[in-house]
Amino acid sequence: MTGYLFVLPWMIGFLLFMAYPIYFSMNMSFHKVIISSEGIQKTWLGWNNFKYAFLSDPLYLEELVTFIKSVVFMIPIVIVFSMMVALLINQPIRMKGFFRAVFFLPVVITSGQVVKELFKQGAASVPIVQRYGIVEYIQTNFDPSWSEPIISIIEQLIVILWYSGVQILIFLAGLQKVNTQIYEAASIDGASPWEIFWKITLPSIKPFILVNIIYTIVDLFTNSLNDVIELIKVNMFQIDTGFGYATSLAWIYFAVIFVLLLIVVAIFGRNDDYNPRQAGR
Amino acid sequence: MKLEATAFRKAVRSVDRGLLIRIGYKIKKILLGKQGNDGIVFKLAVYGLLISVGFVYVYPIFFMISQSFKSLGDLLDPTVSWIPKALHMDNFYKAWKVLDFPKSFGASLFNSILPAIAQTGSCALVGYGIARFRFPGKSVMLAFILLTFIIPVQVVMIPLFLLFKQYGMLGSPLPFIVPALFAGGMKSALFILIYTQFFRTIPKSLEESAQLDGAGALKIFIRIILPISTPAIVVVFLFSLVWHWNETYTVSLYLGDSMRTLPVMLQQFELSFTQLFSSSSAGAQKVNINESIKLAGTVLIILPLLLLYLFAQKWFVEVIDKTGITGE
């Protein structure tokens, strides 16, 4: 029972600053809400806000789909990149601490306005990319509905990589927990580093891949720089649509995140494989 | 005599060959290593990759710093790429004024340190409760904690805005401090998880012996657990500080015009710049905004964070190493 004593603050906080606002915003999403100096005026609309978002809103669906597409591209980039860096740092090298510090550095500044500023000044794209006409190549060879997200990814490549800081550390932590005896045994048996990576390292850090994918998705979706959130914000202060419509957009957005996470957990969360970490113990 | 000489030569040659083979083998071993990942070639590849990827990684920061020192002439001159002809401090002077640095720095500090302290304390308490106690409804609670992590702020922002308005908390840092006191607020789910994982690594025997001496749970937590949890505490505090520092979205909503933090000022940089320099100074010394001035402002904003990171990076990295944030 003393457990409750410790978690009590969270419970109060959750009820006040989460549960109540959630209820309130769900309620708002079914209304047309006008907030004036006299108070809040609500008119019941039923599902009309949602219908409008899907059927009539000229921008929302389009922005949402574009964003989801770019996220689908960004996740593998972030995961592969962070795994690669983690594997490199995990090697017996000098200045390990220095490299870790370098790759974690962006976490300190990635949020918010500063990144936006860097975007604008063009500091976020890799300088080599423009020189070789990669962008033009993609533009001519892909369908515009796919080339657009790909190009936007190339243009912001560094910033995308900047979202890998925490993931790198999570992978590193995972790699360090792998029993070193398995590596020794495998190399005595004549396994090449390549085989060791696929047969031992990768399966052992599989749970961390799942965690990282989830973290990446949440990080990308709740980042205030993305276009969908921008659009929700714009709608909030528009008189003809207003808060009610903005909250229903936010709820649709949340549903998308939730479904995406469920899919990821369904694909990567199965625990059927042989797990070398347990086998080594 | 002659026979001896040839035998001798033969012997030398065979030793030679053996030696050569051995040397060759050794070189191969040095280059490629015994296991494939301890040779020089491999090491070079690792360092090469780390250094080049690392460079790309910090490139925007270098770019920003180099750019911020450039005068207008340097900016337009294509021959000047990385190192400006002269360190043009004027950019910083202007940016300092536009940002109203001392005042906004104070606001930023106020708005990030207080919520960070509140969050550090409350999340520790909750994290300990989850790590050490069983109680009915715990799994439901965990599910809800994860839910708060994935729910976008936009969903609850407006109701919270109205709530804070009702209590007259708008325009002060209270909308950030009060939820933080109750283990809520920005990314608190992550902090609770960090603490939970960290507390789980502490052996239970420590608490058990204190229990035998008759100490209560709260006393054990404060006297025994907290003092040995410095790394986790420091990291949560720093994360919380940094994220609150960088926040613009909710800050501009809740604080309005009464308090402007540095990132909010950056948002309005161009506007304030024109007000300050272009219009007022009677045409004669009219200054136009350029990239360098804006980037100087950006440097000014992240400089405190960079300094903090310089001192604290050891902690950041260590705790995530130790706790792995994640559960298994």
Side-chain angles (χ1 to χ4, degrees), chain A:
Chain A
M1 280 301 124
T2 34
Y4 282 121
L5 182 81
F6 283 96
V7 299
L8 192 68
W10 181 85
M11 285 176 168
I12 297 171
F14 180 77
L15 287 177
L16 271 178
F17 302 111
M18 219 55 204
Y20 170 71
I22 285 175
Y23 159 75
F24 194 103
S25 94
M26 268 191 176
N27 185 292
M28 278 216 300
S29 67
F30 293 105
H31 287 89
K32 183 174 173 65
V33 183
I34 298 165
I35 297 173
S36 59
S37 49
E38 290 110 61
I40 311 160
Q41 283 183 321
K42 290 199 276 190
T43 336
W44 175 256
L45 282 179
W47 289 94
N48 280 345
N49 277 335
F50 293 92
K51 265 188 207 151
Y52 183 79
F54 280 109
L55 300 175
S56 323
D57 193 309
L59 282 174
Y60 184 67
L61 263 195
E62 201 188 312
E63 293 273 4
L64 190 63
V65 169
T66 316
F67 181 66
I68 293 170
K69 272 183 194 163
S70 63
V71 166
V72 168
F73 277 107
M74 276 150 98
I75 292 168
I77 294 177
V78 169
I79 298 296
V80 170
F81 177 77
S82 53
M83 195 191 296
M84 190 189 89
V85 172
L87 282 169
L88 286 174
I89 295 177
N90 198 40
Q91 299 298 328
I93 53 166
R94 275 153 208 260
M95 311 226 294
K96 210 177 253 200
F98 169 75
F99 283 115
R100 270 196 312 205
V102 165
F103 285 104
F104 194 64
L105 173 68
V107 175
V108 181
I109 45 177
T110 35
S111 30
Q113 203 54 32
V114 172
V115 175
K116 216 173 181 176
E117 212 46 57
L118 289 176
F119 263 132
K120 261 197 241 159
Q121 314 290 356
S125 66
V126 187
I128 312 161
V129 173
Q130 281 105 1
R131 231 171 278 166
Y132 293 101
I134 297 172
V135 173
E136 285 79 17
Y137 176 80
I138 293 169
Q139 242 157 8
T140 48
N141 285 296
F142 285 88
D143 188 62
S145 70
W146 284 103
S147 66
E148 225 167 278
I150 297 177
I151 289 168
S152 83
I153 283 169
I154 291 174
E155 275 166 357
Q156 330 159 358
L157 194 61
I158 295 180
V159 169
I160 294 171
L161 298 186
W162 271 18
Y163 288 118
S164 320
V166 173
Q167 287 88 327
I168 290 172
L169 289 188
I170 293 177
F171 271 138
L172 259 179
L175 286 171
Q176 277 160 9
K177 282 180 192 163
V178 182
N179 194 335
T180 47
Q181 286 175 352
I182 310 175
Y183 287 130
E184 280 159 27
S187 67
I188 287 168
D189 287 346
S192 68
W194 182 248
E195 284 171 317
I196 291 179
F197 171 74
W198 288 104
K199 302 251 166 75
I200 297 172
T201 313
L202 200 60
S204 346
I205 57 172
K206 202 180 150 200
F208 294 90
I209 297 178
L210 176 67
V211 168
N212 272 339
I213 294 177
I214 294 175
Y215 185 87
T216 313
I217 291 178
V218 172
D219 202 31
L220 290 175
F221 268 91
T222 50
N223 188 297
S224 59
L225 286 179
N226 78 50
D227 294 335
V228 183
I229 286 188
E230 202 66 38
L231 193 69
I232 294 175
K233 204 161 102 185
V234 168
N235 267 299
M236 221 177 321
F237 299 106
Q238 239 162 39
I239 301 156
D240 54 330
T241 49
F243 286 105
Y245 183 59
T247 43
S248 55
L249 291 187
W251 277 109
I252 297 171
Y253 188 62
F254 170 72
V256 169
I257 303 176
F258 199 72
V259 169
L260 209 61
L261 288 177
L262 281 185
I263 294 172
V264 166
V265 171
I267 296 174
F268 292 90
R270 282 173 300 140
N271 234 345
D272 46 359
D273 303 28
Y274 142 86
N275 185 342
R277 187 175 316 148
Q278 253 104 56
R281 272 175 196 157

Side-chain angles (χ1 to χ4, degrees), chain B residues 99-120:
Chain B
L99 288 174
D100 199 358
F101 196 82
K103 200 178 152 210
S104 350
F105 181 77
S108 268
L109 216 57
F110 203 47
N111 257 312
S112 47
I113 285 188
L114 293 181
I117 291 173
Q119 234 177 357
T120 313

Side-chain angles (χ1 to χ4, degrees), chain B residues 142-204:
Chain B
L142 278 173
F144 274 123
I145 289 180
L146 289 179
L147 183 78
T148 62
F149 183 50
I150 62 172
I151 220 162
V153 207
Q154 285 67 28
V155 169
V156 290
M157 212 171 66
I158 301 152
L160 281 177
F161 177 79
L162 297 172
L163 193 76
F164 292 137
K165 194 176 166 192
Q166 215 177 335
Y167 290 109
M169 293 201 261
L170 292 179
S172 73
L174 283 176
F176 299 98
I177 298 172
V178 174
L181 277 175
F182 292 103
M186 202 182 292
K187 301 211 185 192
S188 53
L190 201 62
F191 300 139
I192 293 177
L193 288 184
I194 290 179
Y195 273 126
T196 308
Q197 285 305 115
F198 188 87
F199 290 141
R200 279 191 182 142
T201 62
I202 297 173
K204 268 193 181 138

Side-chain angles (χ1 to χ4, degrees), chain B residues 78-125:
Chain B
T79 57
V80 180
S81 65
W82 278 104
I83 301 161
K85 281 182 184 147
L87 290 185
H88 199 67
M89 292 305 286
D90 195 40
N91 290 335
F92 285 95
Y93 171 72
K94 286 200 186 100
W96 178 281
K97 279 199 120 175
V98 173
L99 288 174
D100 199 358
F101 196 82
K103 200 178 152 210
S104 350
F105 181 77
S108 268
L109 216 57
F110 203 47
N111 257 312
S112 47
I113 285 188
L114 293 181
I117 291 173
Q119 234 177 357
T120 313
S122 60
C123 290
L125 210 61

